[in-house]
Amino acid sequence: MRDLIYSNNVYALRTELGISQDKMAADLEISRRSISKIENGDQNPSLEMVYRISAYFNRLVPEVFPLNSNVKLRAHDEF
């Protein structure tokens, strides 16, 4: 089974709102380094963190973490 690959809009949303990495990290109670790694795609956030970040921006998960358009999901009978 292929891994699902997603991009993220964390950097765009954060900068659009004028929020620093330090502020976002403090608000989410994680390290600034984690925010940086998530923004750069160097770290995949946990499902809990995906939901927390999406809620932080008051956005749906797919708006913050959209699936890569190259990913093809298998039909139900192929699982």
Side-chain angles (χ1 to χ4, degrees), residues 8-28 32 34-40 53 56-57 59 64:
N8 76 70
N9 296 318
V10 175
Y11 174 80
L13 291 167
R14 182 180 61 73
T15 56
E16 179 182 303
L17 296 172
I19 300 169
S20 70
Q21 284 183 341
D22 288 325
K23 166 103 171 88
M24 184 175 172
D27 291 345
L28 292 173
R32 188 210 51 81
S34 290
I35 297 294
S36 178
K37 285 182 170 189
I38 291 168
E39 288 180 350
N40 291 323
I53 291 170
Y56 184 78
F57 293 119
R59 301 288 181 107
V64 182

Side-chain angles (χ1 to χ4, degrees), residues 1 72-79:
M1 181 175 172
K72 304 268 191 239
L73 299 177
R74 295 184 210 177
H76 177 30
D77 61 351
E78 294 181 29
F79 283 102

Side-chain angles (χ1 to χ4, degrees), residues 50-69:
V50 165
Y51 279 100
R52 288 177 61 199
I53 291 170
S54 297
Y56 184 78
F57 293 119
N58 197 29
R59 301 288 181 107
L60 298 173
V61 169
E63 293 176 294
V64 182
F65 297 95
L67 282 175
N68 182 324
S69 61

